[in-house]
Amino acid sequence: MGSLLLREWAGFQQFPSATQNKLIELLSKLKQENVNTLTILVMGKGGVGKSSTVNSVIGERVVTVNSFQSEALRPVMVSRSKGGFTLNIIDTPGLVEAGYVNYQALELIKGFLLNKTIDVLLYVDRLDAYRVDDLDRQIIKAVTGTFGKQIWRKSLLVLTHAQLCPPDGLNYDVYCSKRSDALLKTIRVGAGLGKHEFEDYAVPVALVENSGRCSKNENDEKILPNGNAWIPTLVKGITDVATNKSKSIVVDKKLIDGSGSDDKGKMWIPAVIGLQWLILKWIEGAIKSDIAKDKKPY
């Protein structure tokens, strides 16, 4: 479980000037909020573009992406610094193996994150995947069971392969909304969040196109079919999540051991056990009473 040494953010200079200016504004906002270090955890199924998204945000090819290996086999942290600000991005293995949730990958991720703080979770999926099934719900449930419901307060849903023509002649924004809503509903159900509770979480959505075929505007920025420059939009989403009122997720020994992911539920265990004991005693008393009545002579 290796990590890369902290280096100057050289890839920043590879962005077009317009993108650089927007990113500088966003980094300034973070520093105004006393955020000098930002740690981003990137998770999702294999082959959805996690590693490519890491490379796009850094502006360098910092993690390997090829046709024969869609992702890292172990978590890898990439760290870059600029003007007193440190950015850490953690790339992770896919959460599915042979059609099932890869709990071994989750254990690897948990172990890697020990004593680290997650400021933002990028949960990555594909915009051009037209179905949401029970496996998606199971993945969300597994992530929630590992890190607790609070992880979704610090999350951003990232949809890759966003340079597409929607099926059935649908408007691009309408299609994106339908796909996002389907996945957000899955997050709500998989995480066990009530409707009003989920509305309070308000997981935002960002669209990404990592391929070289991505269109560009007059400022040489990569843009989506709706005209949005997606890199600064993604970073703005990350900044908004990082500075929201929810606390970052501290991955300590308590969380690693599984005792911190759902403390609220565990608080009720003694009460439930006590209630069960009272019910059993009541049943026992009722049975003894019935037996005593049966023994009485008529």
Side-chain angles (χ1 to χ4, degrees):
M1 293 180 287
S3 62
L4 300 181
L5 295 175
L6 179 61
R7 300 177 182 174
E8 187 69 20
W9 193 353
F12 192 92
Q13 303 301 323
Q14 304 302 316
F15 295 125
S17 296
T19 297
Q20 288 187 37
N21 292 335
K22 294 172 186 175
L23 296 185
I24 288 171
E25 289 180 14
L26 293 170
L27 294 181
S28 297
K29 178 183 176 182
L30 288 172
K31 295 185 77 171
Q32 287 172 8
E33 297 287 336
N34 295 318
V35 178
N36 296 309
T37 299
L38 185 67
T39 300
I40 302 171
L41 176 64
V42 184
M43 296 179 73
K45 291 178 285 190
V48 296
K50 300 187 301 296
S51 298
S52 295
T53 300
V54 171
N55 288 339
S56 293
V57 171
I58 295 294
E60 305 172 47
R61 192 179 179 85
V62 289
V63 287
T64 302
V65 179
N66 59 56
S67 302
F68 303 101
Q69 183 177 317
S70 59
E71 70 230 349
L73 297 177
R74 292 178 177 272
V76 175
M77 184 165 78
V78 179
S79 299
R80 292 293 184 268
S81 67
K82 182 174 178 60
F85 176 82
T86 299
L87 174 66
N88 303 311
I89 305 185
I90 301 170
D91 191 21
T92 61
L95 298 180
V96 173
E97 180 71 30
Y100 296 93
V101 177
N102 189 346
Y103 290 99
Q104 183 179 3
L106 276 171
E107 288 301 313
L108 280 172
I109 294 167
K110 267 204 311 184
F112 183 86
L113 292 173
L114 180 60
N115 298 325
K116 294 182 176 64
T117 298
I118 305 169
D119 298 306
V120 179
L121 167 66
L122 300 187
Y123 185 75
V124 185
D125 209 320
R126 294 177 64 130
L127 181 63
D128 62 350
Y130 304 123
R131 291 182 55 190
V132 175
D133 54 29
D134 189 57
L135 180 58
D136 293 294
R137 183 190 63 79
Q138 290 176 28
I139 295 168
I140 299 299
K141 184 178 180 180
V143 172
T144 307
T146 302
F147 298 105
K149 291 182 180 181
Q150 291 296 322
I151 191 69
W152 301 109
R153 288 189 181 273
K154 303 300 294 185
S155 298
L156 179 66
L157 175 60
V158 175
L159 299 178
T160 62
H161 298 263
Q163 182 84 20
L164 59 74
C165 294
D168 304 321
L170 280 175
N171 172 272
Y172 182 80
D173 290 329
V174 170
Y175 171 78
C176 293
S177 178
K178 286 180 177 292
R179 172 66 175 151
S180 300
D181 288 346
L183 284 167
L184 291 172
K185 181 180 179 180
T186 301
I187 290 174
R188 178 174 69 82
V189 174
L193 302 170
K195 184 176 180 181
H196 295 297
E197 189 178 13
F198 184 71
E199 288 173 354
D200 291 338
Y201 279 64
V203 177
V205 180
L207 304 178
V208 166
E209 178 54 65
N210 293 304
S211 76
R213 65 187 178 91
C214 188
S215 301
K216 296 183 178 181
N217 61 17
E218 65 276 7
N219 295 320
D220 203 35
E221 296 179 291
K222 293 182 177 180
I223 60 171
L224 302 174
N226 59 9
N228 290 338
W230 71 261
I231 290 179
T233 301
L234 172 62
V235 176
K236 182 182 185 304
I238 291 171
T239 302
D240 290 343
V241 172
T243 56
N244 69 19
K245 296 180 180 179
S246 299
K247 293 182 179 179
S248 297
I249 308 300
V250 178
V251 184
D252 53 16
K253 194 70 166 58
K254 183 179 179 182
L255 185 64
I256 291 292
D257 292 340
S259 57
S261 60
D262 194 13
D263 284 340
K264 289 184 178 179
K266 292 175 183 177
M267 287 171 57
W268 292 99
I269 290 177
V272 170
I273 293 173
L275 180 60
Q276 288 175 336
W277 183 84
L278 289 173
I279 292 172
L280 287 172
K281 284 295 181 183
W282 178 82
I283 293 173
E284 182 182 348
I287 291 172
K288 287 180 178 179
S289 177
D290 287 343
I291 293 172
K293 287 179 182 178
D294 289 341
K295 289 183 177 179
K296 286 182 179 180
Y298 291 96

